[in-house]
């Protein structure tokens, strides 16, 4: 339960990074929500990797490259799910504010991410 709570804190910070970058891009650049989200998601992924590695789960016993690859694999899959849902919401409901769509879709991707990170990325190998 402690890891889940820490994961939600790290995810909350990641959400703030995601939403903040998206908001800044929408406000200060000609990028629309689709391009903005393609930039904000990797920013949030980098922030959550650092937090999950150092605060939530601890470093895995794998090399940094192997851990990064595994984290990126789970993160990319979660991000694609998140982005597909985000895009679908905005296309099907054009009056929906992008920040609302981001909130809904981020919540939907949270369970997938926790399972993937805790079981595939940061799970420590058992000694035989």
């Amino acid at each position: 339960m402690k890891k889940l709570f820490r994961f939600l804190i790290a995810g909350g910070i990641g959400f703030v990074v995601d939403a903040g970058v998206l908001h800044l891009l929408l406000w200060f650049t000609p990028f629309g929500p689709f391009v903005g989200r393609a930039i904000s998601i990797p920013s949030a992924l980098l922030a959550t990797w650092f937090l999950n590695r150092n605060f939530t789960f601890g470093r895995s016993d794998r090399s940094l490259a192997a851990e990064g690859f595994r984290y990126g694999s789970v993160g990319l899959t979660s991000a694609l799910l998140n982005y597909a849902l985000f895009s679908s919401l905005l296309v099907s409901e054009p009056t929906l504010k992008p920040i609302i769509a981001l909130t809904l879709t981020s919540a939907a991707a949270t369970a997938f991410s926790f399972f993937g990170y805790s079981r595939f990325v940061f799970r420590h190998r058992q000694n035989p």
Side-chain angles (χ1 to χ4, degrees):
M1 198 58 137
K2 184 177 179 181
K3 285 185 182 181
L4 177 60
F5 180 70
R6 288 181 173 200
F7 178 78
L8 293 173
I9 290 171
I13 293 169
F15 175 80
V16 170
V17 170
D18 193 350
V21 170
L22 178 62
H23 181 73
L24 290 172
L25 290 170
L26 292 174
W27 188 264
F28 293 110
T29 71
F31 298 146
F34 300 107
V35 173
R37 199 71 209 284
I39 296 169
S40 70
I41 286 174
S43 302
L45 188 61
L46 186 59
T48 58
W49 178 45
F50 177 81
L51 291 168
N52 282 324
R53 184 171 203 266
N54 294 295
F55 174 67
T56 305
F57 300 108
R59 295 178 175 156
S60 71
D61 51 4
R62 294 175 181 83
S63 71
L64 183 62
E67 180 185 293
F69 177 78
R70 285 173 172 247
Y71 194 91
S73 298
V74 172
L76 181 61
T77 304
S78 177
L80 289 172
L81 170 69
N82 193 325
Y83 189 83
L85 292 170
F86 175 81
S87 299
S88 297
L89 279 174
L90 290 181
V91 168
S92 66
E93 189 58 49
T95 60
L96 185 66
K97 293 191 180 291
I99 196 73
I100 301 298
L102 175 128
T103 302
L104 296 172
T105 60
S106 293
T110 298
F112 174 84
S113 297
F114 181 76
F115 179 78
Y117 294 144
S118 65
R119 302 286 184 228
F120 182 65
V121 179
F122 294 107
R123 184 176 188 182
H124 295 279
R125 296 181 204 145
Q126 302 293 327
N127 291 332

